[in-house]
Amino acid sequence: MAVTLVGEGFLSSVSAEDFSGVSSRPIARFQSAVIEVIQASATQLGAIQPGAIQSDMTRPSAVVGQFEAAPCPSLLRTDALARLGDRLRCGFVTVPERHANPTGPTIRLAVAQIRSDRPQAQPDPLVMAQGGPGGSTLMLLEPWWEAIAATPGLSDRDLVLIEQRGTQFSQPYLFCQEIYEVDRQIAPQLPQLSEETINQKTLAAYGACRDRLLGQGIDLGAYNSWENADDIPLVMSALGYGRFNFYGVSYGTMLGQHLMKRHPDRLRSVILDAVVPLNTNYITESLRSHDRALRQLFEQCRRSPVCQREYPRLQETFQAVVAQLERQPITTEGFDAIAYVDAQLQAGRSGRVLADNGEQFWRTVAIDGDGLVNLVISALYDSSLIPQLPEWLREMRSGDWSSLTELASDWFSPLADGMQQSVLCAEEAGFTTPGTTDLGSILPELRSLSTDPQEFLDSCRLWPVPTLGPEANRPVRTNIPTLLLSGNLDPVTPPPFGNQVAAGLPHAYHYTFPGLGHGAFASSDCANRLVRDFLRDPNQAPDGRCAAQVQFMPQVPMIPALHAIAVWGTRVRSLVPLGWQRDSILTNLWRSPETEPNEGRISFMWVVGETGPQALRRLGLTVPLTAQGSRQVGGRTWQLYASPQSPVQVAATTEGQDTYLIAVESLRQRSRQAILQGAIAGFQLVPAIALPPKP
């Protein structure tokens, strides 16, 4: 059964780990959320009503083209942004719903501005735009700002983020509650449902969303790239700026090219990151783009001595895991960031402080072979995940599915579905022709995605927006200095797309990063420096020699060194990883430092008078354990247990009527096994009971 999971729309930025996309299909959806920029959790959330997810910014009276200050959304009130003080301000600019009708209906665009504190600040700000279409630009404020602040010389001009029309914090927000509800309904059943059934349910949800938005008086045809591009100079004038520099990632590169066509006089320079050519239909090209990225990953692993040593048959491993899941799908959990974000906004509006671990926002999802293919494609969007893919696949091949849970953790995510649909149906549906890819040249595991273009056309037939016509798909031709950035492992906007756009720009500089995915800025210090040097002098090519050094390198799990410890109140002596600290309350528990990439913990338990399953229950684990055989060490027999879908392994040994348990939780299987084996090897029972640790 084919199931394609789609991220922040067709195209999205994961360069700073906000929203990421997966493939280019709008029917089944997958989202990777910017949970890193959300600092608190929520305690509970009732049912979300259609259209209920709103900005928590206030709404005073509005004047077209005028900035109105308002508190920043609660999701942006993070420690990093709080340090900016009054240099950060938020608000709204009211713009016409249709720019050709300036006295007609209006909409409100959320804006965030960070003013430079440099004595010689440059007068031309940097405007940054997210992808999707339909992703929230403001949700990327913190990671983008941190990348800017960490790059010397890059923070010498103001930064402006404009929430595109129809997205999260602008008004209205074209979120389709109906699609979200269908996604939640079908997620646990995906392997059992036919693709026809999934599409029927989702298309019906699109129709219901359409009817609701039209009933609210929203002009769906006004949410297209041309109106979107016309918003930007109006907002910048409202903020008091003349010329500006523009950065767009993913769909933001399409928006940037329209801006170059429609308002060239306002642009000092343009940066296009993860480039989409206007004259190439990336929907029909998506299958080839996915195939190219996977083949590049396998090839780069073959060329890497480390990868070849640790993962000598990566492609075969991938194929074997896909086949295994096709035979026997796995049920796991995905994080519901839509409910999570809504709870955050509700708490922000009420002034509550939420302090829960968010467990209630995890939803059951089922993943088969096609689902895994899409999750791997999703990971290729995110440059921070790519180095982990080989180890994740190796673990799954060995029967440890906990890494599948990591891949699927961000399943539902806020997206302006209605805005995305309006933009793409107006711009791409007019020249989408299904069935143009030679499936014989595509990896077999990807061929089920070949129906994407037809399903996109089916969804557009339900969405009543006029096409923009041939002009929207003509390539841009301009002398505006332009920097183009591409990741060689990008699964949807490959480097040839950047070459294609650069060919029509006489003052263009294009750089490809071998080891990066979708979106280079904030994923690479080299990319950040190129942006800085280009902004300093857009008429001169920046020194891009560092780009070739950004190579793919697998992240091989660290096998930690161990040292001896005593477990307070017991006779147990054993070994734990060096640098791990005893918990201040649970003195039988040691935790890894928060900065350790493969975070984990190890605990020891002495269960008096109980053996077997009764003793195991004392661990309080919420995941089922399966027996993994036994091991003889130091004259003791240890029964080994593991949880195939959670990163937990347990060893149990009995002495008389008592049981001694060692439980290790660590994200990486190899680290987990090494820690448990070391703890078993170092296990002793000594005559004296260990005294409490010194305060």
Side-chain angles (χ1 to χ4, degrees), residues 53-72:
I53 296 185
Q54 298 287 344
S55 164
D56 58 351
M57 299 167 75
T58 58
R59 179 167 187 165
S61 59
V63 177
V64 171
Q66 179 175 308
F67 175 77
E68 311 154 22
C72 290

mmCIF file of all heavy atoms in Angstrom, residues 53-72:
data_model
loop_
_atom_site.group_PDB
_atom_site.id
_atom_site.type_symbol
_atom_site.label_atom_id
_atom_site.label_comp_id
_atom_site.label_asym_id
_atom_site.label_seq_id
_atom_site.Cartn_x
_atom_site.Cartn_y
_atom_site.Cartn_z
ATOM 1 N N ILE A 53 -7.455 27.545 15.879
ATOM 2 C CA ILE A 53 -6.054 27.867 16.149
ATOM 3 C C ILE A 53 -5.787 29.289 15.669
ATOM 4 O O ILE A 53 -5.883 29.608 14.495
ATOM 5 C CB ILE A 53 -5.111 26.882 15.462
ATOM 6 C CG1 ILE A 53 -5.325 25.489 16.049
ATOM 7 C CG2 ILE A 53 -3.676 27.306 15.620
ATOM 8 C CD1 ILE A 53 -4.382 24.461 15.533
ATOM 9 N N GLN A 54 -5.488 30.170 16.587
ATOM 10 C CA GLN A 54 -5.359 31.584 16.284
ATOM 11 C C GLN A 54 -4.065 32.119 16.865
ATOM 12 O O GLN A 54 -3.478 31.544 17.762
ATOM 13 C CB GLN A 54 -6.539 32.370 16.880
ATOM 14 C CG GLN A 54 -7.895 31.960 16.323
ATOM 15 C CD GLN A 54 -8.110 32.438 14.910
ATOM 16 O OE1 GLN A 54 -7.406 33.318 14.427
ATOM 17 N NE2 GLN A 54 -9.087 31.855 14.228
ATOM 18 N N SER A 55 -3.678 33.274 16.376
ATOM 19 C CA SER A 55 -2.584 33.997 17.001
ATOM 20 C C SER A 55 -3.061 34.528 18.342
ATOM 21 O O SER A 55 -4.247 34.821 18.520
ATOM 22 C CB SER A 55 -2.153 35.155 16.099
ATOM 23 O OG SER A 55 -1.376 36.064 16.824
ATOM 24 N N ASP A 56 -2.151 34.679 19.309
ATOM 25 C CA ASP A 56 -2.533 35.312 20.563
ATOM 26 C C ASP A 56 -2.098 36.771 20.584
ATOM 27 O O ASP A 56 -1.981 37.377 21.625
ATOM 28 C CB ASP A 56 -1.946 34.547 21.756
ATOM 29 C CG ASP A 56 -0.439 34.440 21.700
ATOM 30 O OD1 ASP A 56 0.150 34.797 20.663
ATOM 31 O OD2 ASP A 56 0.139 33.991 22.688
ATOM 32 N N MET A 57 -1.871 37.338 19.408
ATOM 33 C CA MET A 57 -1.570 38.757 19.313
ATOM 34 C C MET A 57 -2.888 39.530 19.303
ATOM 35 O O MET A 57 -3.887 39.087 18.753
ATOM 36 C CB MET A 57 -0.760 39.046 18.051
ATOM 37 C CG MET A 57 0.576 38.307 18.050
ATOM 38 S SD MET A 57 1.409 38.312 16.453
ATOM 39 C CE MET A 57 2.024 39.981 16.394
ATOM 40 N N THR A 58 -2.912 40.677 19.933
ATOM 41 C CA THR A 58 -4.145 41.454 20.048
ATOM 42 C C THR A 58 -4.524 42.077 18.721
ATOM 43 O O THR A 58 -3.713 42.186 17.803
ATOM 44 C CB THR A 58 -3.964 42.561 21.101
ATOM 45 O OG1 THR A 58 -2.850 43.381 20.705
ATOM 46 C CG2 THR A 58 -3.679 41.961 22.462
ATOM 47 N N ARG A 59 -5.773 42.519 18.616
ATOM 48 C CA ARG A 59 -6.247 43.079 17.353
ATOM 49 C C ARG A 59 -6.884 44.455 17.582
ATOM 50 O O ARG A 59 -8.077 44.570 17.835
ATOM 51 C CB ARG A 59 -7.252 42.148 16.702
ATOM 52 C CG ARG A 59 -7.781 42.726 15.391
ATOM 53 C CD ARG A 59 -8.524 41.713 14.581
ATOM 54 N NE ARG A 59 -8.847 42.273 13.279
ATOM 55 C CZ ARG A 59 -9.246 41.565 12.243
ATOM 56 N NH1 ARG A 59 -9.360 40.266 12.345
ATOM 57 N NH2 ARG A 59 -9.526 42.140 11.107
ATOM 58 N N PRO A 60 -6.096 45.533 17.505
ATOM 59 C CA PRO A 60 -6.677 46.873 17.567
ATOM 60 C C PRO A 60 -7.239 47.270 16.204
ATOM 61 O O PRO A 60 -7.207 46.509 15.253
ATOM 62 C CB PRO A 60 -5.468 47.744 17.944
ATOM 63 C CG PRO A 60 -4.317 47.010 17.339
ATOM 64 C CD PRO A 60 -4.658 45.543 17.411
ATOM 65 N N SER A 61 -7.738 48.483 16.099
ATOM 66 C CA SER A 61 -8.234 48.965 14.809
ATOM 67 C C SER A 61 -7.083 49.055 13.823
ATOM 68 O O SER A 61 -5.930 49.275 14.190
ATOM 69 C CB SER A 61 -8.879 50.342 14.989
ATOM 70 O OG SER A 61 -7.940 51.254 15.518
ATOM 71 N N ALA A 62 -7.384 48.870 12.529
ATOM 72 C CA ALA A 62 -6.334 48.724 11.530
ATOM 73 C C ALA A 62 -6.439 49.796 10.461
ATOM 74 O O ALA A 62 -7.526 50.201 10.068
ATOM 75 C CB ALA A 62 -6.429 47.345 10.900
ATOM 76 N N VAL A 63 -5.276 50.232 9.980
ATOM 77 C CA VAL A 63 -5.173 51.144 8.843
ATOM 78 C C VAL A 63 -4.262 50.487 7.829
ATOM 79 O O VAL A 63 -3.176 50.009 8.176
ATOM 80 C CB VAL A 63 -4.608 52.515 9.270
ATOM 81 C CG1 VAL A 63 -4.438 53.409 8.056
ATOM 82 C CG2 VAL A 63 -5.510 53.163 10.309
ATOM 83 N N VAL A 64 -4.670 50.434 6.574
ATOM 84 C CA VAL A 64 -3.878 49.781 5.532
ATOM 85 C C VAL A 64 -2.494 50.425 5.455
ATOM 86 O O VAL A 64 -2.365 51.649 5.419
ATOM 87 C CB VAL A 64 -4.591 49.857 4.176
ATOM 88 C CG1 VAL A 64 -3.665 49.378 3.054
ATOM 89 C CG2 VAL A 64 -5.868 49.037 4.193
ATOM 90 N N GLY A 65 -1.472 49.575 5.446
ATOM 91 C CA GLY A 65 -0.105 50.051 5.293
ATOM 92 C C GLY A 65 0.480 50.682 6.531
ATOM 93 O O GLY A 65 1.512 51.355 6.444
ATOM 94 N N GLN A 66 -0.089 50.443 7.679
ATOM 95 C CA GLN A 66 0.422 51.014 8.927
ATOM 96 C C GLN A 66 0.783 49.907 9.901
ATOM 97 O O GLN A 66 0.025 48.953 10.078
ATOM 98 C CB GLN A 66 -0.626 51.936 9.554
ATOM 99 C CG GLN A 66 -0.191 52.571 10.871
ATOM 100 C CD GLN A 66 -1.214 53.554 11.377
ATOM 101 O OE1 GLN A 66 -1.643 54.448 10.652
ATOM 102 N NE2 GLN A 66 -1.643 53.386 12.624
ATOM 103 N N PHE A 67 1.949 50.029 10.536
ATOM 104 C CA PHE A 67 2.372 49.049 11.524
ATOM 105 C C PHE A 67 1.665 49.302 12.841
ATOM 106 O O PHE A 67 1.594 50.435 13.318
ATOM 107 C CB PHE A 67 3.888 49.119 11.731
ATOM 108 C CG PHE A 67 4.384 48.220 12.830
ATOM 109 C CD1 PHE A 67 4.522 46.857 12.627
ATOM 110 C CD2 PHE A 67 4.700 48.737 14.084
ATOM 111 C CE1 PHE A 67 4.971 46.022 13.641
ATOM 112 C CE2 PHE A 67 5.155 47.910 15.100
ATOM 113 C CZ PHE A 67 5.287 46.550 14.877
ATOM 114 N N GLU A 68 1.127 48.242 13.459
ATOM 115 C CA GLU A 68 0.472 48.317 14.762
ATOM 116 C C GLU A 68 1.219 47.394 15.717
ATOM 117 O O GLU A 68 1.237 46.176 15.517
ATOM 118 C CB GLU A 68 -0.982 47.869 14.664
ATOM 119 C CG GLU A 68 -1.755 48.515 13.531
ATOM 120 C CD GLU A 68 -2.900 47.626 13.088
ATOM 121 O OE1 GLU A 68 -3.344 46.765 13.882
ATOM 122 O OE2 GLU A 68 -3.349 47.779 11.949
ATOM 123 N N ALA A 69 1.842 47.952 16.721
ATOM 124 C CA ALA A 69 2.594 47.143 17.677
ATOM 125 C C ALA A 69 1.647 46.232 18.455
ATOM 126 O O ALA A 69 0.501 46.598 18.746
ATOM 127 C CB ALA A 69 3.371 48.038 18.629
ATOM 128 N N ALA A 70 2.123 45.043 18.787
ATOM 129 C CA ALA A 70 1.361 44.078 19.573
ATOM 130 C C ALA A 70 2.354 43.162 20.271
ATOM 131 O O ALA A 70 3.497 43.013 19.819
ATOM 132 C CB ALA A 70 0.418 43.274 18.679
ATOM 133 N N PRO A 71 1.958 42.541 21.380
ATOM 134 C CA PRO A 71 2.873 41.600 22.053
ATOM 135 C C PRO A 71 3.252 40.456 21.116
ATOM 136 O O PRO A 71 2.445 40.008 20.307
ATOM 137 C CB PRO A 71 2.046 41.088 23.238
ATOM 138 C CG PRO A 71 0.990 42.126 23.452
ATOM 139 C CD PRO A 71 0.684 42.684 22.097
ATOM 140 N N CYS A 72 4.482 40.006 21.240
ATOM 141 C CA CYS A 72 4.900 38.851 20.440
ATOM 142 C C CYS A 72 4.101 37.619 20.861
ATOM 143 O O CYS A 72 3.723 37.482 22.027
ATOM 144 C CB CYS A 72 6.391 38.579 20.631
ATOM 145 S SG CYS A 72 7.470 39.821 19.894
#
